[in-house]
Amino acid sequence: MESFEGIHLDLSQQPGKCRIAESGLGWKPSGGGDTFTLDGSNIGGAQWSRAARGFELKILSRTSGVIQLDGFDQEDQDRASKAFKLFYGINLENKEHALRGWNWGKGEFGKAELAFSVQNRPAFEVPYSEISNTNLAGKNEVAVEFSLPAGGSETGTNGHLGGARSRGRKAGAARDQLVEMRFYIPGTATRKDKDEEGEDKSPEGSDAEEQNAATLFYETLMDKAEIGEVAGDTFATFLDVLHLTPRGRFDVDMYESSFRLRGKTYDYKIQYESIKKFMVLPKPDDLHTLITIGLDPPLRQGQTRYPFLVMQFKREEEVVIDLNMTEELLEEKYKGKLLPHYESPQHSVVAQVFRGLAGKKVVTPSKDFVSHHQQSGVKCSIKANEGHLFCLDKSFMFVPKPATYISFDNISVIVMSRVGGAISASRTFDITITLKGGSGEHQFSNINREEQKPLEEFFQAKGLKAKNEMLDDSSALIAAALKDADMASSDEEIVAAGADRGSADEDEESVDEDFRTDSESDVAEEYDSAHESSGGSDDEMVDGDENPDGGADSDPPADERPKKKAKTAK
C-alpha cells in the first residue's frame, strides 16, 4: 500500500491523505469529513500530468467519470506508477499539456470529459459532470454552460465540509467562477457512429451525410453530457408556451427530476431542485394567467441572469393530455399527486403537473386583498417597465419584467407618496418599499388613486408599517393655495386704497405748452369734407374763406406754392 499526504480531491480547498491499496483507492480529508473510496475494479485508466498544485493524478473510472487528485510531488510519480501497475495492471500514462496559449485547436470527446487539444496536446479538459447546459449561440458558435450549485454546502470545494461531500460540483465554492465558454466551429463535418466498444465506425461510401460542424458538436455534447433525456422518458410536453421572462416561445418537456425548455435558439435544462417558488397569478385583464417560477441558481442566457420564469396562458384555452407514465410508477411514486388524464385549462394542468413532479407548494394571491376593480393585482411600473404588483400572503410579487419578489419579513417601512407632490399627479401615487438592514428599496409608481384604500387595508391586515405622505402633501397644498388667495386679496385692497395709476400721475404734473384751451376746432382728417390740401393753420383757413377771390388782400399768401418753371428747349 502506498500513502500520500497533502493531496486535494477534485480541486477541494482542504488537503487530505490518499492511499492506494490492492482493493482500491481512498481519500480522507485532514480536518475530518466525508471520505472517498473507489473500488479497484472500477479503475479504467490513469494519467500523470502537471497541475496547479504540483502534479496531478487523474483516474478514469468506469462508472464515476473523472477523479482528480493533485498536490503530488514529482518524486511521487514512480511510487504511484508501480502501485497502479502492481495492484490494477494499469500503466500510468504521462500527459504533457499544451503551453502555447493558442485559442484554436481541436475538440475531442472522451468517455468522461471534453478535451481541447492544441498540436495533439491537451490544453484543458472539461468533465461532462461539470456541464449543465449547451446552446447553439449562432450558426457556427456553441455555448457551454457550467454547473453552479445552489450553495457551498453542496459542493466538494467548500473546505470546512470536506472534499468528498458532493462530487461533480468542483467549481461551486470559488469566489470567481467560470460559468460559460463558447466555441467557434466553422465548416461541415461527418457524423461518426460508434460501436458498443466505443470505436468509430467508418462510414461506407457516400452514404454518410455531412452537416454543420457546430450543430454536430452541439448534438454530440448533448448526448455525452446527458443534457437532454430520451424522448421516451418525457412524462408530459406542453407546446409553444409563451414566456415573458425570458422572452420567447418554448416547448416545455417534463421529466422525472427536471424539465426542459426548448426554443428556436436556446435550450434550458432545469432541475426541480432549483425551483424555490411556484406562483399562479391571475392577470388583472381577465384574459390571462401567469405562472411564475423562482429559480436558485438563476437561469443564465449569456451574461444575463433570470431568477424567475414567467409564463403566460390564456384562461379559456383548454388542453387534453395523457401522462406518459406507467400505472405502476403512477401508483407507487405519484399516488395522490398526479392523474393519468387531464382535461382542463392549460395553466391549471401545467401547475398540477409541476406540483406533482417537483413537489413544490403552489402560491396564489392573498384573499385579504381585492383591488378596486375586484382583481388580485394592481397595475404599476418600475421605472419605465410596466407590470402588475400582486399581494401574496407573505410577500409582494411584481411581474413580468423585472420580476421582483419582496418578502414581508424583509420590509422595514412602506411609504405612499405622490409623484413630485404636484396637483396634476393626484390621480396616481407611488409606493416605496424600504428593506431592512439598508438592503435598498423598491419603488412602484403610477398606481391608480382608487387602489389606495385597498392597499392601506392590506398593509394593516398584514401588520406592515406604512406611512402615508399624501396627507402631508394635501395639507401643504391647501395651505399654499390659501396663502396665495390671501396675498391676492391684500394686493387688490392696496390698489383700491392707493389708486396708484402708474405713469398717469406723472402726466398731470407736466404742462403741455403747445396745447391751447381756447381753440374749439379740431384738425380736419382726410375723410372730412372741410379738409384742405394746404395743411395750414386754422386762422389761415379762416382768412381764405373771407376772401375767396383774393380781393381783400392783393399779396399772395406766404405759403402759396411757387409755379413750376416751363421747360425750354435748348
Side-chain angles (χ1 to χ4, degrees):
M1 183 178 69
E2 295 288 347
S3 180
F4 304 91
E5 296 285 348
I7 306 302
H8 299 258
L9 172 68
D10 287 338
L11 308 181
S12 62
Q13 300 276 345
Q14 186 178 0
K17 187 175 183 179
C18 176
R19 291 182 178 179
I20 303 175
E22 187 176 356
S23 59
L25 180 143
W27 179 88
K28 183 178 181 179
S30 302
D34 297 339
T35 60
F36 170 76
T37 58
L38 181 66
D39 190 78
S41 61
N42 197 17
I43 299 176
Q47 296 175 357
W48 181 271
S49 63
R50 287 296 300 265
R53 298 185 181 102
F55 287 83
E56 175 188 77
L57 175 62
K58 180 185 291 186
I59 301 172
L60 308 176
S61 69
R62 302 184 190 277
T63 57
S64 305
V66 178
I67 297 97
Q68 293 172 277
L69 295 164
D70 66 325
F72 291 93
D73 295 328
Q74 188 172 6
E75 295 78 13
D76 298 333
Q77 181 178 2
D78 292 337
R79 295 169 54 198
S81 179
K82 291 178 181 179
F84 270 82
K85 184 68 175 176
L86 178 62
F87 296 146
Y88 317 122
I90 295 175
N91 292 324
L92 186 60
E93 183 183 358
N94 191 7
K95 274 277 187 181
E96 293 186 9
H97 284 81
L99 304 177
R100 289 181 175 271
W102 291 359
N103 66 335
W104 67 92
K106 183 178 180 181
E108 298 176 339
F109 292 97
K111 185 177 180 181
E113 61 186 2
L114 167 65
F116 183 80
S117 300
V118 176
Q119 291 185 334
N120 296 324
R121 290 185 178 185
F124 60 86
E125 302 93 0
V126 180
Y128 296 140
S129 59
E130 295 294 308
I131 298 175
S132 64
N133 196 21
T134 179
N135 288 300
L136 281 170
K139 184 179 179 181
N140 302 111
E141 194 170 343
V142 178
V144 179
E145 299 178 9
F146 302 118
S147 57
L148 287 178
S153 61
E154 299 182 7
T155 175
T157 53
N158 200 335
H160 67 278
L161 294 170
R165 184 172 181 84
S166 181
R167 298 197 59 261
R169 295 176 177 178
K170 304 173 185 177
R175 179 173 297 177
D176 296 317
Q177 300 172 186
L178 182 65
V179 296
E180 185 182 88
M181 182 183 294
R182 296 201 175 194
F183 296 96
Y184 176 73
I185 309 169
T188 59
T190 305
R191 177 184 293 274
K192 295 181 180 180
D193 298 327
K194 293 193 176 183
D195 55 20
E196 296 178 356
E197 298 179 356
E199 298 296 332
D200 293 340
K201 292 181 180 179
S202 56
E204 298 179 359
S206 59
D207 295 337
E209 295 183 0
E210 289 191 352
Q211 64 179 110
N212 184 279
T215 304
L216 180 59
F217 183 93
Y218 162 75
E219 292 176 352
T220 307
L221 186 59
M222 288 278 288
D223 179 53
K224 292 285 187 179
E226 298 180 354
I227 295 173
E229 282 93 341
V230 184
D233 296 333
T234 307
F235 290 158
T237 299
F238 303 96
L239 300 176
D240 204 30
V241 176
L242 176 62
H243 285 63
L244 304 182
T245 306
R247 191 75 181 176
R249 290 187 176 271
F250 296 88
D251 295 341
V252 183
D253 296 332
M254 311 289 292
Y255 299 96
E256 184 176 2
S257 61
S258 65
F259 69 99
R260 185 180 174 194
L261 305 179
R262 292 185 291 108
K264 293 182 178 179
T265 306
Y266 291 96
D267 283 14
Y268 303 99
K269 178 187 173 183
I270 304 168
Q271 300 291 331
Y272 292 139
E273 297 175 356
S274 301
I275 299 178
K276 305 304 178 185
K277 304 174 185 67
F278 193 93
M279 292 164 277
V280 178
L281 309 173
K283 204 171 181 181
D285 59 0
D286 290 326
L287 297 175
H288 301 91
T289 297
L290 303 176
I291 290 182
T292 305
I293 303 175
L295 301 175
D296 188 16
L299 191 70
R300 288 185 293 109
Q301 182 174 305
Q303 296 184 357
T304 307
R305 289 173 172 250
Y306 295 100
F308 288 92
L309 297 179
V310 182
M311 308 177 188
Q312 179 171 288
F313 300 90
K314 294 181 180 179
R315 293 189 188 180
E316 298 180 355
E317 186 176 346
E318 293 196 355
V319 64
V320 179
I321 187 172
D322 293 315
L323 294 185
N324 183 22
M325 190 181 300
T326 62
E327 295 182 2
E328 292 78 10
L329 180 61
L330 186 63
E331 189 70 20
E332 292 175 3
K333 193 172 182 179
Y334 301 104
K335 184 177 181 180
K337 298 180 180 179
L338 293 174
L339 299 175
H341 177 80
Y342 289 95
E343 186 174 353
S344 300
Q346 189 175 14
H347 67 87
S348 176
V349 176
V350 172
Q352 293 180 50
V353 174
F354 262 102
R355 181 177 58 185
L357 293 175
K360 304 298 180 181
K361 179 183 176 182
V362 177
V363 179
T364 55
S366 175
K367 296 180 180 178
D368 295 332
F369 176 79
V370 179
S371 70
H372 177 76
H373 301 286
Q374 306 301 311
Q375 300 293 337
S376 302
V378 296
K379 187 177 181 180
C380 60
S381 59
I382 295 180
K383 296 182 179 179
N385 301 306
E386 291 188 354
H388 295 90
L389 179 66
F390 291 90
C391 300
L392 312 180
D393 284 325
K394 297 182 180 180
S395 59
F396 293 107
M397 185 70 209
F398 176 86
V399 289
K401 186 180 179 181
T404 305
Y405 177 86
I406 307 172
S407 175
F408 291 164
D409 297 335
N410 297 330
I411 295 177
S412 174
V413 65
I414 301 175
V415 179
M416 293 183 288
S417 60
R418 282 198 181 95
V419 183
I423 299 178
S424 60
S426 60
R427 294 182 180 178
T428 60
F429 66 98
D430 292 359
I431 285 180
T432 303
I433 300 178
T434 304
L435 304 180
K436 293 179 181 178
S439 301
E441 62 182 23
H442 299 278
Q443 186 176 31
F444 304 96
S445 55
N446 298 328
I447 303 175
N448 196 319
R449 184 64 183 271
E450 297 170 342
E451 309 294 352
Q452 177 186 348
K453 186 177 179 181
L455 285 172
E456 285 182 332
E457 293 176 351
F458 179 75
F459 299 157
Q460 186 176 3
K462 295 300 179 181
L464 299 173
K465 184 180 178 182
K467 181 181 178 182
N468 190 349
E469 290 186 350
M470 290 187 290
L471 298 176
D472 301 336
D473 295 343
S474 300
S475 302
L477 289 172
I478 293 173
L482 292 175
K483 185 177 180 181
D484 293 342
D486 293 341
M487 292 178 64
S489 60
S490 61
D491 291 343
E492 291 175 0
E493 292 174 0
I494 293 173
V495 170
D500 186 9
R501 295 179 295 167
S503 61
D505 294 335
E506 299 176 1
D507 293 342
E508 289 180 358
E509 295 175 1
S510 61
V511 179
D512 189 1
E513 298 176 355
D514 296 332
F515 180 72
R516 298 181 183 180
T517 57
D518 56 348
S519 176
E520 298 180 356
S521 61
D522 295 331
V523 178
E525 299 292 342
E526 289 183 356
Y527 50 81
D528 290 342
S529 58
H531 173 69
E532 293 292 339
S533 63
S534 62
S537 63
D538 293 340
D539 296 335
E540 291 172 351
M541 286 193 291
V542 169
D543 293 340
D545 293 338
E546 292 178 353
N547 300 299
D549 297 333
D553 191 0
S554 60
D555 296 332
D559 58 346
E560 184 178 355
R561 295 176 64 182
K563 294 181 180 181
K564 294 182 180 180
K565 295 181 180 180
K567 291 183 180 181
T568 55
K570 293 181 180 180

